[in-house]
Each structure stands twice: as structure tokens, then as C-alpha cells.
Amino acid sequence: MKKVFMALMAVAVLVGAVYGAPKAKVRIALIIESTVDDKGWGQAMHDAIMAVQKKYGAALVEYNYSEKMKPVDAGSAARQYASRGFDIVIAHGAQFKNLVLELCEEFPKTTFSFGTNAEIGPKNVFTYMPMSEETGYVNGIIAGMVTKTNVIGIVGPVDAGDSARFNRGFILGVKAVNPKADIKVAFTGSFADYVKAAELAHTQVKANADVLTGAAQQATGALRAVAEYKDKPIWWVGQDTLQITMPEGFKVIAAASYDYSAVIEVMIDKRQAGVLGGESIPLSFTNKGFVFKYNDKVGAVLTAAIRKAADKALADITTGKLKIDWAPVKY
Amino acid sequence: MVNFLTNILILGVPFSVALLLAGLGEMFNQRAGVFNLGCEGIMAMGAFLAFMPPYFLAGSMPAGMANLVGILVAMAAGALMGLVFALVTVTFRAPQGIAGIGLHMLGWGTAGTLFRHFVGGVTGVPGIQTLPIPFLSGIPFLGPVLFNHNPLVYLAFLLVPAAWYLLFKTPWGLKVRSVGTYPRAADTMGINVNRVRYQALALGGAMAGLAGAYLSLAQAKMFADDLVAGRGFIAVALVYFGRWHPVGILGGALLFSLAQSLQLSIQVAGIDFPYEFAVMLPYVLVIVVLALSGKSKMASPTDLGKPYNREQRV
């Protein structure tokens, strides 16, 4: 345990040393299709920018955002931000790829960013890609050890992007500790249909699943459905730590979150060094792009053995000892 | 296999309720000659307003009472929005399609904005709990499928014969059908066409509000911006599907929700079938049945979508 702690500390010191305060004022704009308080995708990026702003002060980091932007509306918002002199315009979603690629030529001095996407974009476009197989794997370890029925359910939005990586990492995590577990993967076909996510969660429970997980903002609907089985041992492992603090948190054993602060800080640093884009920034445990929390109030279900196994996986991933080969996983 | 099919039915029945309630309400609208595409917006407002009393009054009044207040507020707001729609389309004779889209945007936007102002982020409420019916819920197979749900499920299914009775066996129902079929003749007979249309739209709005309340209090037990997620539009389509008859609408709502339950169960069962096609299944099925049932003897209200002007020469 001491070695693990030392390794984590070493990585933390290395990562922490990378970023410095901006040398001049940076103006950041965020465009999202959902809202900044969606307890999911949009809020994770908003909170990260707010954290960076808090760290360096509003005098150095100016921040504006536009919510509920469909791709057709987002173009005019992004254009306004760019023409008003914003330095970094983040269109948070892969659906904004085309508009970013179009605008980046018109505003060559503005840094644009969109994700999730691992492609290397034009020289003034950063992409970012959460390596969600890592959070999926740790959650999978917990799910595999918690299940009594040996049936585990995934409430997915669509099988693409970081959700696809999360699911596959989750399956690898479960199989690492419980090879006999039956993992039922199903999708709602939507990121924001909370009702359908709840319907799918109920379907999973009827099929005997006793541990569920899911990504995207719709996961709140699935967690709400799990909370309806108040007195039954049906549990949730989450992809957003805010779920632990929700009224339904009594069902959440542990959860991971994206911390986009690392992405924001890299973009600020690179831009001030004259690099406006042309890179893809990963989000991982190693660069502190993920946060992982246990729910200490969940009770006896979270045993010391589970914590130990999850901690070990977390440490091995963080130090690079454990590489998760998620791509070949089929379901 | 029996368990697989039973679970599809157990889950499919409650899935159908929001569509059934909104569909029955929309049926009254359309039977009176007005189609209300704003159903989705009314459902959004209903979902939001029903959510508010249990959220804010938790602890200060019994949960059941707070839920009831929420439902009544949602229905009242739905009726009010129906009346606003009537003012625009019946009195001012605005195009019903455009006005409906406007009402949808108004309801959706207002609900989302007020929710963020008064509540903030996505959160839940205890909601309406399951109420198994004594003895009946213990019947093998039928018990869990039909008699082990929350009270709004039973209410919704009881509203089907009630709506049939109201529409086909009461003087008011006859007036509704006549103003939607031949308003000039109805006017000649002394029926106030506009008044009946106002009443039908208020009733339809109240039922859409109730459908929204069902989503936020009984099905999802939470509120979020996009909670309704197109179900209001599906309800409008189900009225055509059901040939403007309560039993037909019940059939459509059940077909859609059972198909939904089936596709989710197929995915969970791990049957090798692309999920992209699975999620399309309910929608494709409704379109196919709608296309095949085009020559049904139950024709649409002949004056559907046409504003009535007694001064206009025919």
C-alpha cells in the first residue's frame, strides 16, 4: 500500500509541475448541447473551467458559456465568440466537429477544441479524448466483486466515443475478478432520454442484474430507477461522482468523474507557448483527468477487499503498469 | 422463455401510460376538429409542475398529498395551456400546425427555464409508489402484469372506457364529434362550435398535463429538461394510429410500449441483433401498422385542422 501511495504521489507531483499560471489573460468560451448543471457531460467541462478560473483568478481567466446549443445554432455562437476575441472556443461534443473544422480556417488565431475525438486536427484545433476504459475497468472490478446474482447490467447511451471505451473497460474489469459474470449490455439510443434509461434499468433488474452502471447524462434516469429498489441489494457504480451526493446516492458504491482541468490547462499552456492546436489531449488517471471516489456511506457492501482490489487497479493504471486493451472487446 | 415474455408485459404496461393519457386527450382535441402539436410542450409543463410540490413540500405534508397536489396543478396548467391554444386557433383562427409548434416550444422552454431557476440540476423525488391490488395481484401471470402497478396506471386504463362513454354516449360527446365533422351543421342546430372546441382543448390539455405528471412522478420520478423526449409527438401519431377511437389508441400505446419493452429485453438478453435497429423497432412498427391500416372504416374527423368561421360562405 505504501508503494502504491508513493507511486501515486510521484505521478501527482510530476503532473502538478506541468502547469503554470497564464502569462496573460486568457478568454475561454464553452458551447454545449445540454446544460452546465446536467450532472454529467456538460457539467464536467463547465466545472473544470470554473476550477481553472478559480485557481488563477477571473483577472487571468475570463469565461463565458452557451448552453442548449444544437449543432445548427452552435455555429453562430462559436463565430461570435471567435470574432469577439476569445482565445479558446470549446465546442464540447463530437457533434460539433464539422463546425469547428469550418470555423478554424476563418479564425486562424483562435484556438478551437472539440471532443471526444482522438484525431489530430488542424493547427489551431485541439481534440480531447477521455480514456474511459480506465474508469470502466475500476468500476468493473467493484461490480464483479459485489454481484451476488452474477448478472451485471450496462445502461448505455450509444456504442460510440468514450461510452464505448467505458463499457469495454468495464467488461474487462468485471472479467478480471469474476470471469463467470454475465454482463448484459444494452443501449437507449440517446444521451438524454432519462425515461428510457430508467426503463432499460428496470429491464436489466428484471433480468436479474444486481449491479448496474451507465454513462452520459441519461444515467441519472437509470440510477433513479435503481433507487426504487430501496430495500433490495441492487447497486450502482457510476461515471459521475456527483451521483454520490444525489438523494439516490445510497445506491452508489463508487463513481468516477472526468476532470477536464488537465485539458484546459494544457490548452492554455500550449497556446501561450505558441501552439494553437494540432494535438489530441488524452484524459486519464495519469494526467489527473479522472477522479475516482468511494461512497463511504454505502455500508457493508463496500468491503475492504473490494477497496483493496480497486485501489490496486487504480494504482496500476496510473503508473502505467496496467494497460487496458479495450478495442478488441466484443459484446 | 415464459419469464422473458412475462417481463416484457410487466414492463410494457406502465411504459404505455404516458402515451395513453396524452393520446386520449389529443383524441378529444382532434374529434373537435383541432390537432394540437403542442402536446409535447404541455406534457413538459405538466411534468415540471407535478414535480414541484413533492420536491418543495417534502416533509411538510404527506408524500401522497404532495403528489396529488402536483397532479392537480399539472392538469390545471395543462387545461390552461389548452385554452390558450384554443384562443389562438379557434378564436383567432391561427394555423393549427404552427400554433402547436409554438405551444410546444413555449411549454418546453418555460418548464426548463423555471426548473433551472427554482431547482437547479437534475434531481429526483420519491414519487408515486406501486399499489398492488389485494388478491388480484396474486393471480399467476395476470397479477404482476395488470394489478401490480402505481395508481396512475389503473386510472389510465379506466379512462379508456370512460373516454369511450363520454365521446359516444353523452350529449357533450355528440357535440364534440359534430363540431369536428360538420361544424356548420352543428352551428345550425344551435351548438356553440367555438365553446365546444374550447372545452375539448381544455380537456385534452388537462390529460396531456396528467401524462407529463405521470412521467415525472411515476415513471422517472425526476425532472430534467428533455424528460418528455418526443413522447408528446408520438401520442399525436397514436391518435391517427388508433383511428380517433379510445380502444384504438389503447392498442397503439400498448403496441408501441410493448415493442419498446421487447427491444430492451432483446438487448438485455444478449440476442445478437444490432442495437441501432432494436431501438428503431417501436417507431418502425407504428409506421408500418399506420400505413397498413389506412383503409380502416373509422375515418378522420372531416373538419380536422380547419378553423370554423360562421360568416364565411362555403
Side-chain angles (χ1 to χ4, degrees):
Chain A
M1 189 64 198
K2 193 176 174 184
K3 281 182 185 170
V4 170
F5 178 72
M6 291 301 287
L8 282 174
M9 286 300 291
V11 170
V13 168
L14 277 172
V15 171
V18 171
Y19 312 118
K23 297 179 190 81
K25 185 173 183 177
V26 181
R27 302 177 76 195
I28 302 174
L30 172 66
I31 293 165
I32 47 174
E33 193 161 341
S34 59
T35 60
V36 296
D37 53 9
D38 64 0
K39 289 193 168 64
W41 177 250
Q43 186 165 354
M45 180 57 90
H46 170 75
D47 288 351
I49 302 173
M50 293 292 284
V52 172
Q53 187 185 44
K54 192 179 172 188
K55 183 175 171 185
Y56 297 123
L60 275 179
V61 179
E62 184 183 331
Y63 172 47
N64 271 33
Y65 60 83
S66 298
E67 303 169 292
K68 294 191 178 181
M69 289 282 119
K70 300 284 181 196
V72 287
D73 308 316
S76 60
R79 185 181 297 277
Q80 281 195 34
Y81 283 125
S83 57
R84 282 169 54 198
F86 274 77
D87 301 298
I88 301 172
V89 179
I90 303 167
H92 191 39
Q95 69 272 35
F96 299 124
K97 177 181 174 180
N98 287 345
L99 84 89
V100 164
L101 295 183
E102 189 183 315
L103 280 178
C104 71
E105 290 180 10
E106 205 175 321
F107 298 94
K109 291 182 181 173
T110 306
T111 291
F112 291 92
S113 178
F114 72 95
T116 59
N117 193 296
E119 294 169 22
I120 305 295
K123 61 182 181 182
N124 61 332
V125 175
F126 284 114
T127 59
Y128 47 89
M129 187 68 198
M131 297 164 73
S132 308
E133 66 275 18
E134 296 183 356
T135 56
Y137 189 90
V138 181
N139 273 333
I141 294 272
I142 296 170
M145 293 178 77
V146 165
T147 182
K148 300 287 183 221
T149 62
N150 258 1
V151 181
I152 294 167
I154 296 178
V155 180
V158 295
D159 192 22
D162 51 331
S163 165
R165 297 175 77 129
F166 174 82
N167 293 348
R168 287 167 173 82
F170 183 83
I171 289 169
L172 290 171
V174 172
K175 293 293 182 188
V177 293
N178 187 352
K180 289 182 180 170
D182 177 13
I183 304 154
K184 296 181 178 299
V185 187
F187 301 92
T188 60
S190 163
F191 288 99
D193 194 337
Y194 300 88
V195 174
K196 204 186 278 183
E199 291 172 351
L200 179 50
H202 284 301
T203 307
Q204 295 272 25
V205 173
K206 287 279 179 201
N208 223 15
D210 63 347
V211 186
L212 281 83
T213 190
Q217 60 267 39
Q218 60 142 17
T220 310
L223 170 58
R224 191 71 200 83
V226 167
E228 283 186 47
Y229 303 93
K230 199 173 177 178
D231 302 319
K232 292 183 180 172
I234 313 280
W235 304 102
W236 178 264
V237 282
Q239 181 68 333
D240 198 313
T241 51
L242 286 170
Q243 291 169 349
I244 293 174
T245 60
M246 291 169 68
E248 297 78 18
F250 68 99
K251 286 289 187 183
V252 183
I253 299 172
S257 270
Y258 295 169
D259 183 353
Y260 287 104
S261 306
V263 172
I264 305 300
E265 297 222 38
V266 167
M267 282 197 283
I268 292 173
D269 265 14
K270 296 261 180 190
R271 184 178 166 83
Q272 298 211 338
V275 180
L276 272 56
E279 294 181 17
S280 182
I281 306 166
L283 225 69
S284 65
F285 278 119
T286 308
N287 70 1
K288 287 186 164 180
F290 298 134
V291 177
F292 190 83
K293 284 184 184 170
Y294 296 106
N295 183 2
D296 295 323
K297 295 177 182 169
V298 81
V301 66
L302 182 56
T303 61
I306 293 173
R307 276 181 189 261
K308 190 178 172 188
D311 281 342
K312 184 175 183 314
L314 190 59
D316 287 349
I317 292 168
T318 307
T319 55
K321 191 175 164 188
L322 175 62
K323 300 282 183 197
I324 300 160
D325 187 17
W326 62 276
V329 176
K330 303 264 184 238
Y331 42 67
Chain B
M1 190 63 186
V2 174
N3 261 352
F4 180 78
L5 293 174
T6 309
N7 284 339
I8 288 171
L9 292 172
I10 290 172
L11 293 165
V13 167
F15 292 178
S16 70
V17 170
L19 298 175
L20 176 60
L21 290 170
L24 288 175
E26 181 68 20
M27 178 196 71
F28 283 107
N29 296 344
Q30 296 196 12
R31 278 288 187 169
V34 185
F35 66 92
N36 185 356
L37 288 180
C39 183
E40 174 97 358
I42 299 177
M43 285 175 74
M45 276 301 284
F48 163 69
L49 290 169
F51 171 88
M52 292 300 271
Y55 180 75
F56 279 112
L57 301 175
S60 59
M61 75 161 58
M65 185 62 74
N67 290 335
L68 185 61
V69 171
I71 289 168
L72 293 176
V73 171
M75 291 182 73
L80 189 64
M81 289 178 77
L83 290 173
V84 169
F85 188 70
L87 180 72
V88 174
T89 57
V90 176
T91 302
F92 298 143
R93 302 189 196 103
Q96 293 173 12
I98 302 297
I101 291 167
L103 188 69
H104 156 56
M105 299 301 284
L106 176 72
W108 178 72
T110 306
T113 304
L114 292 178
F115 176 72
R116 296 196 64 201
H117 180 74
F118 289 110
V119 181
V122 177
T123 189
V125 289
I128 300 170
Q129 303 302 316
T130 302
L131 182 70
I133 295 180
F135 307 115
L136 295 177
S137 59
I139 301 171
F141 182 72
L142 281 181
V145 172
L146 295 177
F147 304 114
N148 191 26
H149 300 291
N150 70 72
L152 284 182
V153 177
Y154 309 131
L155 175 70
F157 281 85
L158 290 174
L159 281 176
V160 175
W164 172 83
Y165 185 82
L166 185 61
L167 193 61
F168 295 108
K169 298 292 173 185
T170 66
W172 185 78
L174 183 61
K175 286 179 187 174
V176 168
R177 287 183 286 140
S178 64
V179 302
T181 306
Y182 200 173
R184 191 163 297 278
D187 196 4
T188 309
M189 294 300 291
I191 295 170
N192 187 328
V193 174
N194 284 3
R195 183 190 294 167
V196 173
R197 287 186 168 176
Y198 264 74
Q199 290 166 344
L201 282 164
L203 177 61
M207 293 190 69
L210 179 60
Y214 177 81
L215 285 177
S216 64
L217 290 183
Q219 197 163 343
K221 298 185 171 68
M222 60 179 283
F223 183 80
D225 266 3
D226 293 322
L227 191 75
V228 182
R231 288 170 180 80
F233 293 112
I234 295 167
V236 174
L238 287 182
V239 177
Y240 288 79
F241 177 95
R243 315 307 291 168
W244 296 268
H245 193 284
V247 176
I249 292 165
L250 170 66
L254 280 174
L255 178 72
F256 185 88
S257 57
L258 290 175
Q260 178 79 290
S261 180
L262 172 68
Q263 71 89 359
L264 293 175
S265 297
I266 285 173
Q267 288 194 64
V268 168
I271 295 168
D272 194 12
F273 187 72
Y275 83 91
E276 293 90 343
F277 292 109
V279 296
M280 280 196 285
L281 180 68
Y283 306 93
V284 171
L285 199 59
V286 167
I287 291 169
V288 168
V289 176
L290 195 56
L292 295 178
S293 63
K295 290 182 179 173
S296 163
K297 64 179 180 179
M298 190 78 73
S300 66
T302 49
D303 239 47
L304 179 60
K306 297 174 191 165
Y308 175 63
N309 182 359
R310 72 188 313 182
E311 304 297 328
Q312 194 174 31
R313 297 182 70 182
V314 183

